[in-house]
Amino acid sequence: MRRRKPPTPPSPLPQRDGVDPVRVRQPLDGSWATVRDHLVGRLAAGDGVIDAMIAEGRILRADGSPVTDRTPYEPGGYVWFHRDLAPETPVPFDVHVVYRDEHIVVADKPHFLATTPRGSHIAETVLARLRRDLGIAGLGPAHRLDRLTAGLVLLVVRPEERGAYQTLFRDRLVTKEYEAVAAYDPDVALPVTVRSRIEKERGVLTALEVPGGEPNAVSEVRLTAHRGGLGLYRLTPHTGRTHQLRVHMNSLGLPILGDPLYPRIAEPVASDDFRRPLQLLARTLEFRDPVTGREHRFGSDRALAAWESYESWDQ
């Protein structure tokens, strides 16, 4: 009979500016003498950083007591601490709350703002902002949008209900439509359903289509309007591969305006350069609420700048 894993104890530290503390579990087969030795050996924190945090009482055990340099190693035990965050460039655009009830929050996010803390984007994220602004510490994402994509994101108020909403996306029970601006090419036959195999390796910026591979990515592409050499496209993904819509538009010879990765990787821009955002918008989100049974359909109020005024977008 398989032994049930004991539940993770609650954090003794509150969130800070909407960001959860770091939780570190001590492996069951560890041979370190002290918690301090384990943290120094495991975390790339730099010389003296862990010792300074311990001296300041910033690393806590599950019972809220501070770790000392003599605290014995505890196989399977946990410790928590807040890391010192590097300065982040503020994203100068607001997150709009489209809908909120006791179960979910639907946010309309701007370009350049990450959905959840990751890498160098921690405090400047949709999740951290809304936890602070709405006062909902347990708020969590049901799915994610790329940092460069604008539009609708579904977040869950109660952690115990998050799995039910994530299952909607896993089982493809959510209808999503996107809008994009790209060049207009009358020789590209539309509408079209693009099917291909997309793979992305960890640490590699771009995703790749594998010729002849079993399709794992399906997108419908329709032309809504065109003028001045530009097209406004409606994109309906039926799967959720990384960069799927961007890859499929590029494969049609219609790379989305402002895309720094497709068809080629552009030179990095300064972190405070918010010009020429990727012209991709998660326009609508439609699903049956797994908790309340309500039928939901939400729409973004944002506009794609290159379609409104290409000259202004291309400054």
Side-chain angles (χ1 to χ4, degrees):
M1 183 175 178
R2 180 181 250 177
R3 181 177 297 177
R4 180 176 296 179
K5 182 179 177 181
T8 302
S11 171
L13 286 170
Q15 290 174 355
R16 188 170 68 186
D17 294 327
V19 179
D20 290 324
V22 176
R23 183 185 71 211
V24 178
R25 184 174 184 267
Q26 300 162 73
L28 291 172
D29 57 355
S31 59
W32 295 274
T34 65
V35 174
R36 180 261 177 202
D37 292 344
H38 169 239
L39 295 178
V40 170
R42 177 175 175 181
L43 304 180
D47 292 341
V49 172
I50 297 299
D51 288 327
M53 293 176 67
I54 288 175
E56 295 166 4
R58 294 171 52 191
I59 304 177
L60 302 185
R61 301 172 66 202
D63 62 3
S65 62
V67 170
T68 72
D69 57 0
R70 297 183 180 181
T71 300
Y73 181 82
E74 181 186 358
Y78 294 86
V79 296
W80 288 261
F81 59 87
H82 280 291
R83 55 181 162 171
D84 294 322
L85 301 179
E88 296 180 46
T89 302
V91 177
F93 312 112
D94 293 334
V95 178
H96 304 154
V97 174
V98 174
Y99 177 83
R100 176 185 177 184
D101 63 22
E102 63 269 33
H103 304 285
I104 61 174
V105 173
V106 179
D108 194 355
K109 92 171 189 70
H111 298 284
F112 301 108
L113 188 67
T115 303
T116 57
R118 187 177 183 183
S120 60
H121 305 283
I122 306 298
E124 280 297 304
T125 58
V126 172
L127 184 61
R129 281 196 190 182
L130 290 183
R131 281 175 171 176
R132 295 192 303 264
D133 295 347
L134 302 180
I136 306 174
L139 194 67
H143 67 123
R144 292 171 174 80
L145 283 184
D146 287 345
R147 184 178 67 88
L148 299 183
T149 303
L152 299 179
V153 179
L154 175 65
L155 302 107
V156 184
V157 173
R158 299 170 177 171
E160 64 271 21
E161 294 177 350
R162 185 177 171 193
Y165 291 95
Q166 289 177 318
T167 299
L168 291 178
F169 291 88
R170 184 198 68 191
D171 294 345
R172 303 175 189 174
L173 299 176
V174 178
T175 300
K176 299 180 286 183
E177 288 189 349
Y178 290 69
E179 283 184 350
V181 179
Y184 169 65
D185 185 348
D187 293 331
V188 177
L190 298 176
V192 66
T193 298
V194 184
R195 294 180 173 86
S196 68
R197 182 165 194 84
I198 295 178
E199 296 183 358
K200 187 178 185 301
E201 296 182 15
R202 181 181 294 273
V204 178
L205 292 177
T206 55
L208 296 175
E209 286 187 296
V210 179
E214 181 69 23
N216 63 0
V218 180
S219 308
E220 292 183 21
V221 179
R222 295 178 178 271
L223 177 67
T224 301
H226 67 90
R227 61 171 184 249
L230 294 179
L232 181 65
Y233 298 88
R234 184 171 74 235
L235 313 178
T236 306
H238 295 290
T239 53
R241 309 301 298 184
T242 299
H243 296 177
Q244 175 178 317
L245 296 176
R246 297 161 66 180
V247 170
H248 280 168
M249 287 292 286
N250 184 58
S251 72
L252 293 173
L254 304 171
I256 299 171
L257 263 63
D259 197 324
L261 298 180
Y262 308 96
R264 63 187 63 84
I265 299 175
E267 290 294 325
V269 298
S271 62
D272 60 352
D273 186 349
F274 300 107
R275 298 172 299 166
R276 293 185 288 279
L278 175 69
Q279 294 300 278
L280 181 62
L281 172 67
R283 173 64 74 188
T284 65
L285 200 60
E286 186 173 359
F287 60 92
R288 182 181 180 87
D289 194 302
V291 176
T292 67
R294 298 172 190 158
E295 296 288 346
H296 290 301
R297 179 177 173 83
F298 304 108
S300 170
D301 291 330
R302 298 186 185 276
L304 290 171
W307 185 251
E308 298 293 307
S309 173
Y310 179 81
E311 292 74 18
S312 297
W313 173 82
D314 195 38
Q315 289 181 349

